[in-house]
Amino acid sequence: MDDLRKKYLSLISGALDETTLEELRVQAVGKKGEISSRMRSLGKMTPEERQKAGPALNALKDEVNSALAAKKMALSDAALEERLKGEWLDVTLPSRGARQGSIHPISQVWDEVTEIFADMGFSVAEGPQIESDWYNFDALNIPGHHPARAEMDTFYTHREHDDDRPPHVLRTHTSPVQIRSMEKIGAPLRIICPGRVYRADYDQTHTPMFHQVEGLAVDTDVSMANLKWCLEEFVKAFFEVDNVELRFRASHFPFTEPSAEVDIRCSWSGGQLKVGEGDDWMEVLGSGMVHPKVLQAGGIDPKVFQGFAFGLGIDRIAMLKYGVPDLRAFFDSDLRWLRHYGFNALDKPGLVSGLSQ
Ligand code: PHE
């Protein structure tokens, strides 16, 4: 009996899990277990033998049962402990440290630009991306025979002769929102319109879909000087520097007179794009004084009001500010690129808190 005792107590204390323990229980005190069959053999003993062996076997059975129960408790405590360790969570930690998604540089720059112009008193206007050719061209003083229609590499959804509907285009610029805003708000007004535009063009600095911000200010005392100041202030705020070199080049747009294109000094050396240095210039916007015919088309009296307008390439200035040498990569949806150039979603650009940190 001593051997049995030693054997089971040591097996029980060595058991590593509840399954082994259950097997040991069956083996020792189960119906056909070793201790149980000993108890059955009590009947064959003499009364004297039975008197000695009976209580001893009972005591052994009790001892084994309580060792089993104690071990079972210990094993289940250990299992719970293990699980708790695995499921441990520090609820006082700040939310996700590791960045998951990120803000696309275009969205970031869009917000930065909006922030700067909002501070100068411009509100945000919107217009449709599929536009009638009246808004996209005619109202902007680009009649049917005008070469600008061809120059813009326009995507037509359908042309004049396709059916009875008036021709529509994927807007080639945000300028139609000038007309829509004049119609809706009247004068005086000060709006910007960030949005998508489309032209059939594809190379390192052109994609068929890109982004512009239109700006329009109409009042009774607006001049080219206001336009220039506004753009210079914008460019300094945007690039977060005191000086950026701009070049105003006399140009021509049907919807402005006089007109100027604006370039920013930059360098492309070694595949790296840097702003403010070097001998290259990157064209970033078109601008000018709103043509009287355009004011008229928007329902505003050109004898009383004047306006300045500009169209700025969001993608262009994003490339310049964040040193992206190829525009096409913006729209490849390559996760490695997005991780590299993306912005933290929790850092909203603000003039006080900083635009880009
Ligand atoms: N719409 C012109 C373009 O897309 C830019 C522009 C806007 C020029 C407003 C002058 C005034 O090229």
Side-chain angles (χ1 to χ4, degrees), residues 113-125 189-193 213-218 222 226-227 229-231 234 308-310:
V113 171
T114 307
E115 189 67 22
I116 297 169
F117 281 111
D119 190 57
M120 294 191 210
F122 286 78
S123 49
V124 174
L189 101 154
R190 228 186 278 180
I191 56 109
I192 58 161
C193 165
V213 185
E214 192 77 10
L216 173 67
V218 176
V222 174
N226 301 128
L227 167 69
W229 180 86
C230 223
L231 293 178
F234 163 73
F308 69 71
F310 57 87

Side-chain angles (χ1 to χ4, degrees), residues 173 175 178 199 212 214 253 255-256 286-288 309-311:
H173 49 182
S175 299
Q178 286 191 29
R199 288 180 205 175
Q212 287 188 335
E214 192 77 10
F253 297 103
F255 32 90
T256 47
S287 64
F310 57 87

Side-chain angles (χ1 to χ4, degrees), residues 94 106 282 294:
I106 298 292
M282 179 134 139
V294 174

Side-chain angles (χ1 to χ4, degrees), residues 22-82:
E22 176 59 14
E23 281 164 14
L24 284 172
R25 190 191 65 76
V26 174
Q27 201 183 320
V29 294
K31 258 194 193 147
K32 290 179 187 154
E34 230 175 331
I35 296 175
S36 313
S37 43
R38 288 288 169 88
M39 292 182 102
R40 269 195 300 278
S41 67
L42 284 173
K44 292 176 200 139
M45 291 180 187
T46 62
E48 295 77 42
E49 280 171 339
R50 199 182 308 140
Q51 224 164 28
K52 258 182 78 188
L57 267 173
N58 266 327
L60 174 61
K61 191 181 166 192
D62 286 349
E63 197 176 351
V64 167
N65 269 331
S66 52
L68 281 166
K71 185 66 182 181
K72 192 170 175 182
M73 186 97 86
L75 282 176
S76 81
D77 279 357
L80 182 64
E81 200 61 33
E82 196 60 30

